[in-house]
Amino acid sequence: MTPLTQINAEITTHPAGDLLTSEEVSLARRELRRKKLIALALVIPLLIFLFFTFVAPIGTMLYRSVYNPTVAELIPQTLSSLESWDGQGMPDKAVMSQMAADMKRLANLRKSGKLAESINRYLPGTSSVIKSTARKLRRKDDQKIISQGAEFLLAANDKWSQPEIWQALIKAGKVYTDGYFLTALDLERNDAGDIQQRTSTQIYIKLYAKTLRMALIITFMCLLLGYPLAYYLANAPSKTANMLMILVLLPFWTSLLVRTTAWIAMLQTNGVINSLLTSLHVISSPLEMLYTEFSTIIAMTHILLPFMILPLYSVMKGIDPSLMRAAMSMGAKPPSAFISVYFPNTLPGLSAGALLVFIISVGYYITPALVGGTDGQMISNIIAFHMQQSNNWGLAAALGSLLLVLILTLYWVYDRFVGASNIKLG
Amino acid sequence: MTADNASHYLRFDGVKKSYDQKSLVVKDFNLDIAKGEFLTLLGPSGSGKTTVLMMMAGFESVTSGDILLDGHPVTRTAPYKRNIGMVFQNYALFPHMSIAENLAYPLKVRKMAKAEITERVYKYLKLIELDQFGGRTPAQLSGGQRQRVALARALIFKPSLVLMDEPLGALDKKLREQMQLEITRLHKKLGFTVIYVTHDQSEALTMSDRIAVFEDGVVQQCASPEELYEQPANSFVADFIGENNLLPGTVIETVKGIAKVKMLTGDEITARCADCGEGNSECVVSVRPEKVFIVPGDHHYENKITVKFTNCLYVGDFIRYFFELPDGTEVVAKFLNDHVAPKLSEGDKASLYIRTKDCFAFKVK
Ligand SMILES: Nc1ncnc2c1ncn2[C@@H]1O[C@H](COP(=O)(O)OP(=O)(O)OP(=O)(O)O)[C@@H](O)[C@H]1O
Ligand SMILES: [Mg+2]
């Protein structure tokens, strides 16, 4: 009950003599409003911070994955004149001349490269066509381009006589596009405009699957290593437990980069493990461990282990030790008492830890980038690639949005079957 | 089973326990418990009561000595093979199971047939008057209801021995009294043997057949509530059970269990000697406040002490009078609030009358 309804309830339930006068009611209301304002003022800085660091970036990312204004801004007139074209055969001469005029303008503004790059995503091989044509058009007279632009284009490159390049222009010219999402899902539109599996390379779905598989393996490894340790910690005398807890938390105090690089030193061809095994004559030639999926999984398990141990530990610490004793006094052997009584009570911590590790590892970037090589790359590395190297922010945004959707879906499934209220972080 | 076996159903034989390999927490614990008996371990905090229970249940090892159940040593038997029901202070109900599942647990462990389990669980739910609540989880029950479930769960597999470690410690006074009755009722009805731990003496006095008063790892006295109250074996028991005046004095001589004691007031009195020393040793004389009289009635009182009145307190149907010995020791007397109740003012000299059989002389420790 909010304080206000409480006041109302008091008004209605009290005998007439206890009724508040209207003045008192308004005073009480004002007091309540003042409290609410103060509460709001206290959280406003956080809300602003959250907006700029969380809501706004994610919103921008989602928007970018469907918003593609580059081409539309570069050649607006060509695009509007292309609207009259039915998509069959070749467009009108006037349209082609308009394109020539736009390209000359872009060439002089030194923006033809940007156009070439954008169109190339839709029709590979077009980049050089556009760049060279633009170069040739730069010296042509404006008047002549208006009358003979189409001829100039055809003369510059015979690709201009094929409808595909014009279709590509239309596709690239759409301000709002589902193209990035289709690409991210290994789909494409065929000439008829229907969605189909991409005929060329298919990498993203496989990468998503691999990312999920690796995250699952990492979660499972963390569980396997973390559960017994958390159990030991929770039942050890507090002096030992505190000491060991510091060791568990130690990784948080050292730089992530340092820890990851340490794994490079451990795993490389002439690294610690290989030299040790060789000198013990276990192996004759060094194992290839670095830059593989294996190294990513090992290093990430190490880095994420505390996220599994901490919730497990706090939940186990809260389990009454007399539960196990009670089970045993009732005749259960220790293993069966553990399975039927102790384990079910650790599930909140276990699911919290597993969820935490899984979600963090699905989106992990630094470790796979450093020790993963090509084999151990995860989806976030491809996203980073599109952000930094191929400059295809739209695709990066689409991949990121899909990752977000994937995680939300998994969380939803988890909530359906396990119940999010079961999570206990501390 | 012979009668002798029945009275030695459970036997602690020189049991000792040390946690740290240096000091003993339980020192030479000897006790015989008869079948069907309700025995209470009563003692101050840290006296080792829980430790004794844990050794009995098998969760703590016995450092030396033996525990014999029905004539067989159980010291080396694993806890899950001892068939002992246990009620924990904090209930220890399984939070992830419903009440019915909690009750069914020991039966399932024993691989009982499903139909039989359902029937037995229902019977015990009825017994604790919670038959509507079988589907709830422990978190949805009140403290008293949880306590009843814990009790039923310890009884449902029909153990011959039930251990209860301060089972009512977490309940408020009213619920506690209600549960005391409930436990006594079930004990009478089902006839199991109980070792019950508490540090609430009124609880111990009302429920038990016998009480073992525990202090510092040693049983000071093990007797029926009445005997414990009327004939404490030493000054610790006298002080611990009920209210007592402990008056310092010196033993002059002891003849046939009756000690002649010289009090600080100069009065010479006679007292029953429980463990008072020989002649000329310091002692305390313990007297219960309700056994002290200021107006001699028809009885013959052997002892008289002169004291100084300080004040009195009305408690309703009786009045507590406070007196002082010359060395400042307080003497409390309890009188009925009737017309013969004396009127005294502060500083008045008064004479207190006590019978020899109500005075106990104990060695000073
Ligand atoms: N696991 C343990 N390790 C070391 N010392 C212990 C342990 N358990 C109990 N002790 C010590 O043994 C002594 C007796 O403890 P115990 O728990 O038996 O007391 P208790 O009579 O049950 O007290 P309370 O009425 O407070 O429950 C105490 O001094 C306690 O500090
Ligand atoms: Mg205890």
Side-chain angles (χ1 to χ4, degrees):
Chain A
M1 210 188 318
T2 68
L4 191 63
T5 55
Q6 231 163 24
I7 291 171
N8 284 337
E10 273 165 28
I11 291 172
T12 50
T13 54
H14 276 23
D18 290 355
L19 269 182
L20 276 78
T21 64
S22 60
E23 201 178 322
E24 283 167 341
V25 168
S26 77
L27 270 178
R29 292 234 167 95
R30 200 175 311 149
E31 176 67 10
L32 189 69
R33 221 172 304 135
R34 208 173 62 87
K35 275 187 188 155
K36 277 188 179 163
L37 272 179
I38 290 175
L40 187 67
L42 287 175
V43 294
I44 269 185
L46 178 70
L47 290 181
I48 293 174
F49 178 78
L50 275 184
F51 180 79
F52 281 109
T53 57
F54 199 71
V55 180
I58 288 185
T60 323
M61 182 188 80
L62 288 172
Y63 189 52
R64 252 184 204 284
S65 63
V66 292
Y67 181 61
N68 179 33
T70 325
V71 175
E73 278 166 8
L74 288 174
I75 48 168
Q77 277 141 346
T78 312
L79 287 173
S80 66
S81 55
L82 263 174
E83 273 166 24
S84 58
W85 180 47
D86 62 354
Q88 306 294 318
M90 289 294 294
D92 288 345
K93 285 227 149 88
V95 177
M96 293 166 78
S97 301
Q98 180 60 53
M99 179 68 190
D102 272 340
M103 278 170 74
K104 179 184 175 203
R105 185 173 48 80
L106 289 180
N108 286 327
L109 292 170
R110 304 203 174 278
K111 279 186 176 169
S112 53
K114 210 166 169 189
L115 179 69
E117 193 186 325
S118 303
I119 307 294
N120 196 55
R121 281 188 202 129
Y122 292 85
L123 190 65
T126 325
S127 178
S128 59
V129 178
I130 291 178
K131 277 188 196 153
S132 67
T133 312
R135 218 176 301 125
K136 284 175 192 158
L137 285 172
R138 205 154 74 194
R139 282 181 295 275
K140 296 281 194 267
D141 181 54
D142 275 345
Q143 287 301 317
K144 273 194 182 157
I145 284 185
I146 292 172
S147 54
Q148 306 170 37
E151 283 78 16
F152 287 149
L153 277 188
L154 295 172
N157 199 310
D158 58 0
K159 278 265 174 72
W160 293 110
S161 61
Q162 294 164 359
E164 283 87 355
I165 197 164
W166 298 101
Q167 283 159 357
L169 275 184
I170 291 178
K171 274 189 211 164
K174 290 215 174 78
V175 180
Y176 292 98
T177 171
D178 58 2
Y180 293 128
F181 274 105
L182 292 180
T183 313
L185 289 166
D186 285 338
L187 300 171
E188 65 181 3
R189 275 188 199 280
N190 61 14
D191 296 340
D194 297 324
I195 294 171
Q196 62 175 31
Q197 280 230 308
R198 190 162 54 239
T199 41
S200 52
T201 48
Q202 299 200 2
I203 50 169
Y204 298 118
I205 296 282
K206 257 192 230 155
L207 199 57
Y208 273 115
K210 183 170 143 194
T211 305
L212 288 185
R213 183 170 50 87
M214 283 169 71
L216 270 180
I217 296 176
I218 291 164
T219 310
F220 189 71
M221 298 263 295
C222 283
L223 199 59
L224 216 60
L225 296 173
Y227 197 93
L229 184 64
Y231 180 80
Y232 176 75
L233 281 178
N235 292 295
S238 62
K239 219 170 131 193
T240 329
N242 287 342
M243 181 68 208
L244 288 172
M245 210 57 202
I246 291 175
L247 293 184
V248 169
L249 293 176
L250 203 60
F252 284 131
W253 303 343
T254 50
S255 147
L256 177 63
L257 221 52
V258 172
R259 273 180 286 154
T260 308
T261 336
W263 277 109
I264 298 181
M266 293 282 289
L267 295 174
Q268 63 191 335
T269 315
N270 301 314
V272 179
I273 294 179
N274 270 324
S275 357
L276 192 71
L277 289 179
T278 325
S279 66
L280 290 175
H281 300 292
V282 181
I283 50 172
S284 51
S285 62
L287 299 170
E288 277 310 322
M289 287 181 292
L290 194 57
Y291 306 127
T292 58
E293 208 180 297
F294 169 80
S295 57
T296 308
I297 289 175
I298 290 284
M300 280 181 62
T301 302
H302 164 232
I303 286 161
L304 296 178
L305 200 51
F307 291 99
M308 181 65 90
I309 293 176
L310 291 177
L312 267 177
Y313 171 77
S314 87
V315 165
M316 285 178 176
K317 202 74 191 154
I319 295 178
D320 182 356
S322 60
L323 287 188
M324 278 290 274
R325 292 185 159 186
M328 278 195 271
S329 80
M330 283 181 270
K333 294 202 175 78
S336 117
F338 184 87
I339 292 170
S340 60
V341 173
Y342 196 85
F343 182 75
N345 282 304
T346 60
L347 278 180
L350 193 151
S351 47
L355 200 68
L356 211 58
V357 170
F358 185 80
I359 286 180
I360 295 178
S361 53
V362 161
Y364 222 68
Y365 167 68
I366 295 183
T367 307
L370 287 179
V371 304
T374 40
D375 236 13
Q377 297 294 299
M378 296 173 83
I379 195 71
S380 46
N381 301 104
I382 282 293
I383 295 177
F385 169 79
H386 283 305
M387 301 272 303
Q388 294 160 354
Q389 266 132 57
S390 80
N391 258 335
N392 191 351
W393 283 33
L395 183 56
L399 287 167
S401 306
L402 281 180
L403 188 60
L404 184 66
V405 170
L406 186 74
I407 289 176
L408 290 179
T409 314
L410 284 172
Y411 182 78
W412 178 78
V413 169
Y414 171 87
D415 189 31
R416 276 299 299 271
F417 291 103
V418 186
S421 54
N422 268 338
I423 297 182
K424 205 173 154 194
L425 287 175
Chain B
M1 188 183 284
T2 66
D4 187 51
N5 232 349
S7 63
H8 297 301
Y9 174 64
L10 175 62
R11 170 167 221 165
F12 290 87
D13 189 8
V15 171
K16 295 180 186 168
K17 174 70 186 176
S18 163
Y19 282 110
D20 53 4
Q21 289 86 44
K22 282 185 214 122
S23 58
L24 286 175
V25 167
V26 174
K27 305 165 186 163
D28 199 21
F29 182 67
N30 292 293
L31 199 62
D32 275 319
I33 299 167
K35 201 171 177 69
E37 189 173 17
F38 195 118
L39 183 114
T40 299
L41 296 182
L42 178 65
S45 186
S47 56
K49 306 176 300 278
T50 300
T51 307
V52 168
L53 275 205
M54 287 301 155
M55 286 191 289
M56 183 65 240
F59 298 125
E60 289 293 349
S61 62
V62 176
T63 306
S64 90
D66 244 333
I67 301 176
L68 298 142
L69 187 62
D70 228 351
H72 306 291
V74 292
T75 334
R76 305 245 166 272
T77 315
Y80 53 88
K81 284 189 190 144
R82 293 193 185 191
N83 201 33
I84 293 175
M86 183 132 192
V87 181
F88 292 82
Q89 174 162 15
N90 45 6
Y91 319 123
L93 297 178
F94 304 140
H96 61 294
M97 296 183 188
S98 70
I99 300 309
E101 282 167 343
N102 262 286
L103 291 188
Y105 188 83
L107 307 180
K108 269 195 197 132
V109 168
R110 285 171 174 70
K111 306 225 159 45
M112 204 179 251
K114 262 219 173 79
E116 210 177 330
I117 293 182
T118 323
E119 194 188 334
R120 178 94 67 96
V121 166
Y122 182 72
K123 193 179 132 197
Y124 272 76
L125 279 175
K126 244 190 139 76
L127 192 69
I128 54 171
E129 290 160 3
L130 286 178
D131 40 339
Q132 304 298 320
F133 294 69
R136 294 206 190 174
T137 61
Q140 295 166 321
L141 295 187
S142 73
Q145 290 168 335
R146 276 181 226 171
Q147 191 55 61
R148 298 215 290 266
V149 176
L151 193 62
R153 196 181 61 174
L155 298 177
I156 196 167
F157 58 101
K158 303 196 169 152
S160 42
L161 177 62
V162 178
L163 310 178
M164 305 191 195
D165 190 358
E166 297 191 35
L168 310 182
L171 305 183
D172 63 41
K173 189 164 173 288
K174 194 158 166 241
L175 250 174
R176 201 155 62 213
E177 278 162 10
Q178 207 177 320
M179 283 303 298
Q180 286 168 6
L181 286 179
E182 186 86 11
I183 292 175
T184 322
R185 177 174 76 88
L186 288 174
H187 174 240
K188 293 241 163 69
K189 186 167 174 184
L190 304 174
F192 45 87
T193 312
V194 183
I195 305 183
Y196 189 96
V197 164
T198 181
H199 50 224
D200 178 343
Q201 47 155 311
S202 72
E203 186 170 300
L205 290 172
T206 51
M207 295 174 79
S208 330
D209 294 329
R210 273 195 307 156
I211 301 171
V213 179
F214 225 75
E215 146 82 343
D216 204 17
V218 180
V219 175
Q220 306 287 339
Q221 187 175 10
C222 179
S224 67
E226 188 193 337
E227 190 181 337
L228 218 53
Y229 194 82
E230 301 294 346
Q231 295 179 40
N234 57 36
S235 59
F236 175 79
V237 178
D239 195 27
F240 193 71
I241 306 283
E243 201 184 356
N244 248 324
N245 292 303
L246 294 177
L247 315 174
T250 316
V251 179
I252 299 168
E253 56 170 1
T254 311
V255 182
K256 285 193 205 147
I258 301 293
K260 197 179 255 180
V261 182
K262 187 171 169 73
M263 305 302 290
L264 289 175
T265 52
D267 301 305
E268 262 182 36
I269 65 169
T270 50
R272 290 163 68 173
C273 171
D275 68 341
C276 61
E278 292 306 306
N280 237 354
S281 62
E282 286 198 8
C283 73
V284 286
V285 175
S286 102
V287 189
R288 296 209 180 271
E290 68 268 25
K291 307 279 165 123
V292 176
F293 296 88
I294 194 160
V295 187
D298 317 333
H299 288 295
H300 172 65
Y301 298 94
E302 295 88 350
N303 300 325
K304 191 182 120 192
I305 334 176
T306 320
V307 290
K308 197 170 79 189
F309 174 76
T310 49
N311 65 333
C312 62
L313 247 174
Y314 283 85
V315 192
D317 52 352
F318 60 86
I319 311 173
R320 297 167 72 87
Y321 284 73
F322 296 90
F323 303 96
E324 214 179 67
L325 295 187
D327 70 333
T329 310
E330 190 172 68
V331 185
V332 184
K334 228 160 103 179
F335 302 128
L336 267 184
N337 185 6
D338 56 13
H339 58 277
V340 295
K343 297 259 178 294
L344 294 168
S345 50
E346 197 181 331
D348 285 356
K349 283 254 182 269
S351 294
L352 300 179
Y353 300 92
I354 316 163
R355 300 172 68 186
T356 300
K357 81 172 186 44
D358 296 327
C359 295
F360 292 88
F362 300 117
K363 220 174 355 202
V364 178
K365 289 213 172 128

